[in-house]
Amino acid sequence: MNQLLAMRTFIRVLETGSFSRASEQLALPRSTISKLISDLETHLGTKLLNRTTRNVAATMEGMEYYKEAFRLIEDMDAVDNAMRANKYKPQGHIRVDAPATFATQLLIPALADFQHHYPDITVALGISDRAVNIIREGVDCVIRAGRLDDLAMVGRHLVELDYVTCASLNYIEKYGIPHHPRELETKHTLLGYFTANTSQPMPIVLEKGSERFEMSGGSYSANDGNGLLAMMLADLGIGQHFVRCLQPYIDNGKIVPILTDWTRPRMEFHILYPPNRHQSTRLKVFIEWLLATFNDSHLHSKQ
């Protein structure tokens, strides 16, 4: 038995909660995964996992073994990565996930710079506003908007993005420019954004000094930032989006900012990754590149 491989396999099965997902992430046949776990249990003389047709859970002994094996594997990986960092350029594959508009408008256009500095690292980019399960789906890190709810992950502040209230030039020419937030509800069509776990659009928010307006609803809404942008470009109404993501359309005149003396609170973005992967050299350099590329001062200097 390859005990080191068996330990890694046991850790991945427990973290993903599935023999099948562990098989996919480790690129090993499911039968090999099952045999490695069985051989490890025989070697230790104790049962590590309780298996049912739907779930995999650690026994009491299995949980104790997981803690010790996790610590051992983490230390071994740290030693290996430290040695490789001294001798080789970072290399390997990372799986990243990012919100749709951030990915297509900001991250992807910047990836050529990462490729130039780290040509031996390959990146698989998941593009979705859905909050992925980082462990179960085998994701190395995610970029996530809003507050941090997943306390089991390591979170690092990436950037805060300003909103702009806007509509297409064609829409403005047809329906006119609103001069006060009250006009949005009475004279205009609103476009909204809703998260993947609810069909209720987030309100449009406008603030100036002590005044604040919230307008709920929206005749059309999308659960994807690119979808919301497409609705604006299709002349469907007025919405709010990140000014950095819409800047090319503002520059070419297709999108027109309105009510510019009213603002909406900025949206925070964070990088999240599992605590057990922070020693990966390739992940470390990718995160440091993200921070250097998308920190607030860098983005604001471009506006």
Side-chain angles (χ1 to χ4, degrees), residues 165-187:
T165 306
C166 54
S168 70
L169 178 61
N170 290 339
Y171 178 90
I172 293 299
E173 290 177 341
K174 185 174 182 179
Y175 297 103
I177 297 177
H179 299 288
H180 193 277
R182 291 192 187 94
E183 296 178 38
L184 296 184
E185 291 187 296
T186 58
K187 299 180 180 180

Short mmCIF file of all heavy atoms in Angstrom, two decimals, residues 165-187:
data_model
loop_
_atom_site.label_atom_id
_atom_site.label_comp_id
_atom_site.label_asym_id
_atom_site.label_seq_id
_atom_site.Cartn_x
_atom_site.Cartn_y
_atom_site.Cartn_z
N THR A 165 -25.19 54.22 -11.80
CA THR A 165 -26.58 54.09 -12.24
C THR A 165 -26.61 54.52 -13.70
O THR A 165 -26.09 55.59 -14.05
CB THR A 165 -27.50 54.98 -11.40
OG1 THR A 165 -27.30 54.68 -10.02
CG2 THR A 165 -28.96 54.75 -11.77
N CYS A 166 -27.20 53.71 -14.57
CA CYS A 166 -27.04 53.99 -15.99
C CYS A 166 -28.10 53.31 -16.84
O CYS A 166 -28.88 52.48 -16.37
CB CYS A 166 -25.65 53.54 -16.44
SG CYS A 166 -25.30 51.81 -16.05
N ALA A 167 -28.10 53.68 -18.10
CA ALA A 167 -28.97 53.07 -19.11
C ALA A 167 -28.29 53.23 -20.45
O ALA A 167 -27.30 53.97 -20.60
CB ALA A 167 -30.34 53.74 -19.11
N SER A 168 -28.82 52.56 -21.45
CA SER A 168 -28.25 52.68 -22.79
C SER A 168 -28.58 54.04 -23.39
O SER A 168 -29.56 54.70 -23.01
CB SER A 168 -28.79 51.58 -23.70
OG SER A 168 -30.17 51.80 -23.98
N LEU A 169 -27.78 54.49 -24.33
CA LEU A 169 -28.03 55.75 -25.01
C LEU A 169 -29.39 55.73 -25.71
O LEU A 169 -30.14 56.72 -25.66
CB LEU A 169 -26.91 56.02 -26.04
CG LEU A 169 -27.07 57.29 -26.88
CD1 LEU A 169 -27.09 58.53 -25.98
CD2 LEU A 169 -25.94 57.38 -27.91
N ASN A 170 -29.74 54.59 -26.33
CA ASN A 170 -31.03 54.49 -27.01
C ASN A 170 -32.18 54.65 -26.03
O ASN A 170 -33.19 55.30 -26.35
CB ASN A 170 -31.14 53.15 -27.73
CG ASN A 170 -30.21 53.05 -28.93
OD1 ASN A 170 -29.78 54.07 -29.47
ND2 ASN A 170 -29.89 51.83 -29.34
N TYR A 171 -32.04 54.04 -24.83
CA TYR A 171 -33.10 54.16 -23.83
C TYR A 171 -33.24 55.62 -23.40
O TYR A 171 -34.37 56.15 -23.29
CB TYR A 171 -32.81 53.28 -22.62
CG TYR A 171 -33.85 53.39 -21.53
CD1 TYR A 171 -34.96 52.55 -21.52
CD2 TYR A 171 -33.73 54.36 -20.53
CE1 TYR A 171 -35.93 52.66 -20.53
CE2 TYR A 171 -34.70 54.48 -19.54
CZ TYR A 171 -35.79 53.64 -19.54
OH TYR A 171 -36.76 53.76 -18.58
N ILE A 172 -32.13 56.29 -23.14
CA ILE A 172 -32.16 57.69 -22.70
C ILE A 172 -32.78 58.58 -23.77
O ILE A 172 -33.58 59.48 -23.47
CB ILE A 172 -30.73 58.17 -22.36
CG1 ILE A 172 -30.20 57.43 -21.12
CG2 ILE A 172 -30.71 59.68 -22.14
CD1 ILE A 172 -31.00 57.64 -19.86
N GLU A 173 -32.43 58.35 -25.04
CA GLU A 173 -33.00 59.16 -26.12
C GLU A 173 -34.50 58.97 -26.24
O GLU A 173 -35.23 59.89 -26.63
CB GLU A 173 -32.30 58.82 -27.43
CG GLU A 173 -30.85 59.30 -27.49
CD GLU A 173 -30.15 58.89 -28.78
OE1 GLU A 173 -30.65 57.95 -29.45
OE2 GLU A 173 -29.09 59.48 -29.09
N LYS A 174 -34.97 57.77 -25.88
CA LYS A 174 -36.40 57.48 -26.00
C LYS A 174 -37.20 57.96 -24.80
O LYS A 174 -38.31 58.50 -24.95
CB LYS A 174 -36.59 55.98 -26.19
CG LYS A 174 -38.03 55.57 -26.46
CD LYS A 174 -38.12 54.08 -26.79
CE LYS A 174 -39.56 53.69 -27.12
NZ LYS A 174 -39.67 52.24 -27.47
N TYR A 175 -36.65 57.79 -23.58
CA TYR A 175 -37.43 58.08 -22.37
C TYR A 175 -36.92 59.27 -21.57
O TYR A 175 -37.55 59.67 -20.60
CB TYR A 175 -37.45 56.83 -21.47
CG TYR A 175 -38.15 55.66 -22.12
CD1 TYR A 175 -37.40 54.61 -22.66
CD2 TYR A 175 -39.53 55.60 -22.20
CE1 TYR A 175 -38.03 53.52 -23.26
CE2 TYR A 175 -40.16 54.50 -22.80
CZ TYR A 175 -39.41 53.48 -23.32
OH TYR A 175 -40.03 52.41 -23.92
N GLY A 176 -35.79 59.83 -21.94
CA GLY A 176 -35.28 60.99 -21.26
C GLY A 176 -34.42 60.65 -20.04
O GLY A 176 -34.39 59.51 -19.57
N ILE A 177 -33.71 61.67 -19.53
CA ILE A 177 -32.83 61.50 -18.38
C ILE A 177 -33.58 61.84 -17.09
O ILE A 177 -34.12 62.95 -16.97
CB ILE A 177 -31.59 62.41 -18.50
CG1 ILE A 177 -30.76 62.01 -19.72
CG2 ILE A 177 -30.73 62.32 -17.23
CD1 ILE A 177 -29.56 62.91 -19.96
N PRO A 178 -33.64 60.94 -16.12
CA PRO A 178 -34.26 61.28 -14.83
C PRO A 178 -33.35 62.23 -14.05
O PRO A 178 -32.14 62.10 -14.09
CB PRO A 178 -34.39 59.92 -14.14
CG PRO A 178 -33.31 59.09 -14.74
CD PRO A 178 -33.18 59.55 -16.16
N HIS A 179 -33.97 63.16 -13.34
CA HIS A 179 -33.20 64.14 -12.57
C HIS A 179 -33.30 63.93 -11.07
O HIS A 179 -32.60 64.62 -10.31
CB HIS A 179 -33.66 65.55 -12.94
CG HIS A 179 -33.46 65.89 -14.39
ND1 HIS A 179 -32.22 66.12 -14.94
CD2 HIS A 179 -34.36 65.99 -15.41
CE1 HIS A 179 -32.35 66.36 -16.24
NE2 HIS A 179 -33.63 66.30 -16.55
N HIS A 180 -34.14 62.97 -10.65
CA HIS A 180 -34.29 62.66 -9.22
C HIS A 180 -34.67 61.20 -9.08
O HIS A 180 -35.38 60.65 -9.94
CB HIS A 180 -35.36 63.55 -8.57
CG HIS A 180 -35.33 63.51 -7.07
ND1 HIS A 180 -35.95 62.50 -6.34
CD2 HIS A 180 -34.75 64.34 -6.17
CE1 HIS A 180 -35.75 62.72 -5.05
NE2 HIS A 180 -35.02 63.83 -4.92
N PRO A 181 -34.19 60.53 -8.01
CA PRO A 181 -34.51 59.11 -7.84
C PRO A 181 -36.01 58.79 -7.88
O PRO A 181 -36.40 57.69 -8.31
CB PRO A 181 -33.91 58.79 -6.46
CG PRO A 181 -32.77 59.73 -6.33
CD PRO A 181 -33.23 61.01 -7.00
N ARG A 182 -36.87 59.72 -7.44
CA ARG A 182 -38.31 59.43 -7.43
C ARG A 182 -38.83 59.15 -8.85
O ARG A 182 -39.80 58.40 -9.02
CB ARG A 182 -39.08 60.61 -6.83
CG ARG A 182 -38.85 60.82 -5.33
CD ARG A 182 -39.86 61.81 -4.77
NE ARG A 182 -39.56 62.13 -3.38
CZ ARG A 182 -38.83 63.15 -2.99
NH1 ARG A 182 -38.31 63.97 -3.90
NH2 ARG A 182 -38.61 63.38 -1.71
N GLU A 183 -38.18 59.75 -9.84
CA GLU A 183 -38.64 59.56 -11.22
C GLU A 183 -38.41 58.12 -11.71
O GLU A 183 -39.08 57.68 -12.66
CB GLU A 183 -37.91 60.53 -12.14
CG GLU A 183 -38.20 62.00 -11.87
CD GLU A 183 -37.42 62.90 -12.79
OE1 GLU A 183 -37.27 62.56 -13.98
OE2 GLU A 183 -36.94 63.96 -12.33
N LEU A 184 -37.48 57.42 -11.08
CA LEU A 184 -37.18 56.06 -11.55
C LEU A 184 -38.39 55.14 -11.38
O LEU A 184 -38.65 54.27 -12.23
CB LEU A 184 -35.99 55.49 -10.77
CG LEU A 184 -34.64 56.20 -10.96
CD1 LEU A 184 -33.54 55.46 -10.22
CD2 LEU A 184 -34.28 56.34 -12.43
N GLU A 185 -39.10 55.28 -10.27
CA GLU A 185 -40.24 54.39 -10.00
C GLU A 185 -41.48 54.77 -10.79
O GLU A 185 -42.33 53.93 -11.05
CB GLU A 185 -40.56 54.39 -8.51
CG GLU A 185 -39.49 53.70 -7.66
CD GLU A 185 -39.90 53.57 -6.21
OE1 GLU A 185 -40.08 54.61 -5.55
OE2 GLU A 185 -40.05 52.42 -5.74
N THR A 186 -41.60 56.03 -11.16
CA THR A 186 -42.84 56.50 -11.79
C THR A 186 -42.75 56.66 -13.30
O THR A 186 -43.76 56.55 -14.00
CB THR A 186 -43.26 57.85 -11.17
OG1 THR A 186 -42.21 58.80 -11.36
CG2 THR A 186 -43.55 57.68 -9.68
N LYS A 187 -41.55 56.90 -13.81
CA LYS A 187 -41.43 57.23 -15.23
C LYS A 187 -40.51 56.29 -16.01
O LYS A 187 -40.36 56.48 -17.23
CB LYS A 187 -40.92 58.67 -15.38
CG LYS A 187 -41.84 59.72 -14.78
CD LYS A 187 -41.25 61.12 -14.99
CE LYS A 187 -42.16 62.19 -14.38
NZ LYS A 187 -41.60 63.56 -14.58
#
